[in-house]
Structure formats: C-alpha cells, structure tokens
C-alpha cells in the first residue's frame, strides 16, 4: 500500500470541509456587498457560522470603509491553513512567492465558482418557483447577481421572452477563469 492510498481520500475530505467554510466566509463578504436582508434565514446562518472568528479578529483589525476587514482576513487565514494542511498531507509545499499566487488562485477560483453556482441557482429558481411563493434564497441570489447580469441585460434584451444574460455571464466567467487561472498557477 503506497502513501497516496490514504492521502488522496484525506486530502479530498480536508479540501471539501475547508472549501465549504470558505464559501460561507466568502458569502459573508458578498452579503455586505449585495446588501442582503439580515433577517433572511440564510443570512442568519452565515452570520452564526462565522461570528466567533470574525468577532475575535475585529479586536485587532478595524473595518476599512464599507468592507469588513476582519472577514477578509478570516478568508485569507482559512485559505492559508487549507493550503498548509493539504501540503502537509501531500508532502509538497510551494515555495517563495508561489504562495501568494496559490492563495490568489484559490480565492479567485472560489469567487468564480460562487458566482457561477449562484447564477445557475437563480435560473433554476426562475423556472421552478411558483408565482406568489417565497423562497429565502431567491432574493439573495438575485441581489448578488444583479451587478453582473444588469449590464448584459442592457446590451442584450430578452429575445422572445427569454433572458439570455445568465448564459452570457456564465460564458464570461468561464473565459475569465481560463485567462486568469493559468497566470496565477504558473501554467502558461
């Protein structure tokens, strides 16, 4: 039995757990940017899941303008710890300035993924949510995606009653990822 036999499943579990928490912390940043309703049950979950470390970091890190700097630092710290733990398990650590690129790549990939999934969720909800019903996720993803979808909707009006802006934004996000990720990971 070689070393990767146990390392690969362990890396998968560690990456998944860290990724899920990174998504929650990133959503805490996005909720401030998108002005989400703080009484929404999803927002309350995000706040409760991140409140203890953010409250601790706020003792040392003041807010800068509209952004919660403690949440940004928490996201950076969780990303660094994830990379350290995975590197420890895999027995491979990046060196020098590649750390900065790796952290930037993780965060860039995280936000591209969050916006991609949120646009897909918004499209699916628009198809399956009956008129007159309330879904606590719908207003959140709508407010989150509006700054991305609005400019495309202004350029491309609905065709035959179909809004194609989510398709074009998803294509744009994927192209952006294809252009930026190789630069950050050094795979040019």
């Amino acid at each position: 039995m070689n070393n990767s036999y146990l390392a690969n499943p362990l890396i998968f579990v560690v990456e998944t757990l860290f990724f899920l928490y990174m998504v929650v912390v990133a959503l805490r940043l996005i909720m401030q940017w998108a002005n989400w309703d703080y009484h929404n049950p999803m927002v309350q979950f995000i706040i409760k899941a991140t409140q203890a470390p953010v409250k601790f970091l706020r003792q040392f890190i003041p807010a800068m303008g509209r952004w919660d700097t403690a949440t940004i630092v928490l996201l950076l710290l969780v990303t660094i710890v994830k990379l350290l733990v995975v590197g420890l398990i895999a027995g491979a650590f990046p060196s020098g300035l590649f750390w900065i690129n790796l952290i930037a790549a993780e965060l860039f990939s995280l936000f591209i993924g969050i916006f991609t999934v949120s646009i897909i969720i918004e499209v699916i909800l628009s198809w399956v949510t009956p008129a007159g019903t309330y879904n606590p996720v719908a207003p959140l993803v709508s407010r989150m995606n509006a700054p991305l979808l609005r400019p495309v909707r202004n350029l491309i009006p609905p065709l035959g009653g179909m809004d194609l802006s989510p398709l074009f934004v998803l294509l744009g996000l994927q192209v952006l990822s294809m252009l930026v990720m190789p630069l950050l990971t050094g795979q040019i």
Side-chain angles (χ1 to χ4, degrees):
M1 205 181 309
N2 64 16
N3 207 14
S4 67
Y5 178 75
L6 294 176
N8 288 340
L10 187 57
I11 289 171
F12 170 74
V13 169
V14 167
E15 282 188 337
T16 301
L17 293 175
F18 272 97
F19 174 77
L20 291 173
Y21 194 69
M22 288 168 61
V23 167
V24 173
V25 175
L27 286 174
R28 184 171 175 134
L29 281 174
I30 291 169
M31 75 181 201
Q32 296 167 358
W33 172 68
N35 293 320
W36 284 356
D37 175 22
Y38 284 91
H39 299 291
N40 186 298
M42 294 298 295
V43 173
Q44 288 300 311
F45 167 77
I46 292 167
I47 290 171
K48 288 178 182 171
T50 57
Q51 188 61 26
V54 168
K55 189 175 180 181
F56 174 76
L57 288 171
R58 280 187 183 147
Q59 295 173 0
F60 312 103
I61 304 166
M64 294 177 63
R66 187 172 170 218
W67 293 101
D68 185 4
T69 315
T71 305
I72 294 170
V73 170
L74 176 62
L75 185 57
L76 286 170
L77 289 173
V78 171
T79 304
I80 291 168
V81 170
K82 173 193 170 193
L83 293 172
L84 285 172
V85 171
V86 169
L88 183 66
I89 295 168
F93 288 101
S95 60
L97 291 177
F98 191 64
W99 268 103
I100 295 171
N101 287 358
L102 201 54
I103 293 167
E106 283 281 330
L107 294 174
F108 180 79
S109 176
L110 174 72
F111 282 100
I112 291 290
I114 287 172
F115 280 103
T116 298
V117 169
S118 71
I119 289 171
I120 292 169
I121 289 171
E122 184 174 357
V123 168
I124 291 171
L125 286 176
S126 74
W127 295 339
V128 298
T129 304
T133 61
Y134 175 74
N135 184 326
V137 175
L140 302 180
V141 294
S142 178
R143 290 193 94 168
M144 179 175 148
N145 296 330
L148 297 175
L149 295 172
R150 191 178 311 114
V152 178
R153 285 182 177 141
N154 291 339
L155 289 174
I156 305 168
L159 303 171
M162 288 196 61
D163 181 13
L164 297 178
S165 60
L167 174 66
F168 287 105
V169 171
L170 287 173
L171 287 171
L173 287 172
Q174 293 310 307
V175 168
L176 182 64
S177 180
M178 290 175 176
L179 294 173
V180 173
M181 285 303 286
L183 295 172
L184 293 174
T185 58
Q187 296 177 350
I188 297 179

